[in-house]
Amino acid sequence: WDVVVHLGARRVNVYSGGRLARSFRAVVGKPSTPTPTGQFFVEEALTMAAGEPGAPFALALSARSNALQEFEGGPGQIAIHGVENLGGTLGTAASHGCIRLGTSAIDWIAARIGAGTPVSIESR
């Protein structure tokens, strides 16, 4: 598996064996708190409690925010997670740097993607 985030297109593409398996619309970082670009990996996959912001799943990345050194007591870590209790319209730039996906999209990804999976975040 490989994950490619296209910030300009506001899409997350998931590849299996080099072939596009699925493509999802996403909420990406707003101009004041942009999603960083580069080559990263999934550090851990987390199941979140219902009602928790970003639920139901989060893929914590090796990426860190260039704008926020700390976020809600944490190190400004970037994640791919759900929209639960956060909102945001898919296809927009409205997050603090994380990549938000609709519930069905993050459910699909979380069932397949785990620690060590490469994640490329590109500006286009």
Side-chain angles (χ1 to χ4, degrees):
W1 295 101
D2 292 285
V3 178
V4 180
V5 179
H6 296 283
L7 298 177
R10 297 175 182 144
R11 295 198 75 82
V12 173
N13 292 341
V14 181
Y15 295 86
S16 176
R19 294 187 136 160
L20 181 64
R22 296 289 296 268
S23 182
F24 304 102
R25 289 178 42 186
V27 177
V28 299
K30 59 189 170 190
S32 61
T33 53
T35 304
T37 58
Q39 302 298 315
F40 308 103
F41 62 91
V42 176
E43 288 186 349
E44 64 180 323
L46 305 164
T47 301
M48 302 170 74
E52 199 172 346
F57 298 102
L59 301 176
L61 304 180
S62 61
R64 300 296 186 267
S65 173
N66 296 322
L68 300 173
Q69 300 310 306
E70 154 183 41
F71 186 75
E72 293 189 5
Q77 186 171 25
I78 301 299
I80 299 172
H81 58 71
V83 295
E84 205 168 293
N85 295 312
L86 292 171
T89 302
L90 295 173
T92 65
S95 80
H96 288 102
C98 286
I99 298 111
R100 299 180 196 163
L101 296 172
T103 301
S104 62
I106 195 65
D107 285 348
W108 187 90
I109 288 175
R112 293 160 178 82
I113 303 297
T117 302
V119 177
S120 176
I121 303 177
E122 303 175 355
S123 58
R124 61 181 178 92

